[in-house]
Amino acid sequence: DIVMTQSPDSLAVSLGERATINCKSSQSLLYSSNNKNYLGWYQQKPGQPPKVLIYWASTRESGVPDRFSGSGSGTDFTLTISSLQAEDVAVYYCQQYYDPPRTFGQGTKLEIK
Amino acid sequence: QAQLRQWGAGLLKPSETLSLTCAVYGGSFSGYYWGWIRQPPGKGLEWIGEINHGGSTNYNTSLKSRVTILIDTSKNQFSLILTSVTAADTAVYYCARGWGRAIWGQGTMVTVSS
């Protein structure tokens, strides 16, 4: 099974500042035939299902503010929020969909400092 | 845009069988994997398994002996069956279409308690 490890487990950032969440996979998520990384990022707020932010490691889902961006390739990935807003307080998860089981990271709790 | 609506029993006793169904409204039913994920209270997301339109399945290694995912293409529905439940299976269960650009159901809280 591919193991997904996020860091940090929790993060406190001031409003307007940058937030960075990392995700590392135990094996490459880059599929050579199409040059795509099978990695997604989700945002989850209390009492709600996860919401897709980013797929293919760096493609922003329609309607997601452009302050959210994804980067990385292979085994190391990053979710960046360029200017933190109050509504961004949530838990963030990465997920690999390269191979079943399609494992998730343990989550990163983002709070306002 | 597809929507997923799920239902099933919310309270079970230990050793009973969990059964949840997810119905798909709108969008294509073929060409996707249809999956189940769960989230114990206050904890992270755990991938349970998936099925495709042709009935091919993949399961979480740790749950494989107790899990079955079925699909009914005539009704655009798929189901999760988890046998011999214990308190450790208490969680919100979500159904989902696809991965990456996934569409999720609203979630069903399932509590296992004697």
Side-chain angles (χ1 to χ4, degrees):
Chain A
D1 297 1
I2 299 174
V3 178
M4 305 299 292
T5 305
Q6 290 182 226
S7 62
D9 290 335
S10 63
L11 181 62
V13 175
S14 300
L15 290 173
E17 296 298 306
R18 179 185 299 260
T20 301
I21 299 170
N22 300 300
C23 176
K24 189 174 184 66
S25 59
S26 60
Q27 66 184 73
S28 178
L29 305 182
L30 178 62
Y31 192 42
S32 56
S33 67
N34 60 10
N35 202 37
K36 287 183 181 291
N37 286 282
Y38 284 60
L39 186 283
W41 288 98
Y42 292 97
Q43 175 194 66
Q44 188 180 32
K45 297 181 179 180
Q48 297 181 18
K51 171 188 173 183
V52 176
L53 296 176
I54 303 285
Y55 56 97
W56 300 131
S58 60
T59 301
R60 193 181 307 112
E61 175 65 296
S62 175
V64 173
D66 60 7
R67 63 180 180 274
F68 291 91
S69 64
S71 62
S73 183
T75 62
D76 292 280
F77 302 91
T78 300
L79 174 70
T80 301
I81 308 172
S82 60
S83 177
L84 189 71
Q85 304 300 304
E87 61 265 32
D88 300 334
V89 169
V91 180
Y92 293 83
Y93 295 93
C94 60
Q95 183 199 20
Q96 66 82 16
Y97 48 102
Y98 183 91
D99 257 350
R102 323 262 184 201
T103 42
F104 292 90
Q106 79 276 18
T108 296
K109 186 175 184 179
L110 178 59
E111 299 173 315
I112 304 294
K113 186 187 292 183
Chain B
Q1 176 80 332
Q3 292 187 20
L4 277 63
R5 190 174 304 161
Q6 57 184 102
W7 65 89
L11 181 61
L12 297 171
K13 290 182 167 53
S15 80
E16 291 186 334
T17 295
L18 179 157
S19 179
L20 298 174
T21 298
C22 185
V24 182
Y25 300 93
S28 173
F29 198 64
S30 61
Y32 294 98
Y33 270 102
W34 303 90
W36 292 93
I37 306 98
R38 69 180 183 180
Q39 186 171 36
K43 296 189 177 181
L45 301 167
E46 180 180 31
W47 189 86
I48 299 172
E50 66 187 11
I51 190 167
N52 68 7
H53 185 260
S56 176
T57 56
N58 295 295
Y59 298 126
N60 184 317
T61 309
S62 66
L63 298 171
K64 200 169 188 175
S65 63
R66 298 193 292 131
V67 171
T68 303
I69 296 176
L70 303 170
I71 194 166
D72 185 340
T73 55
S74 68
K75 294 182 179 180
N76 280 13
Q77 294 177 0
F78 60 107
S79 300
L80 170 69
I81 298 171
L82 181 66
T83 61
S84 305
V85 298
T86 70
D89 296 311
T90 294
V92 176
Y93 286 75
Y94 295 101
C95 60
R97 185 196 81 172
W99 308 114
R101 203 177 187 188
I103 296 176
W104 291 57
Q106 79 278 15
T108 300
M109 180 68 211
V110 176
T111 301
V112 180
S113 175
S114 55

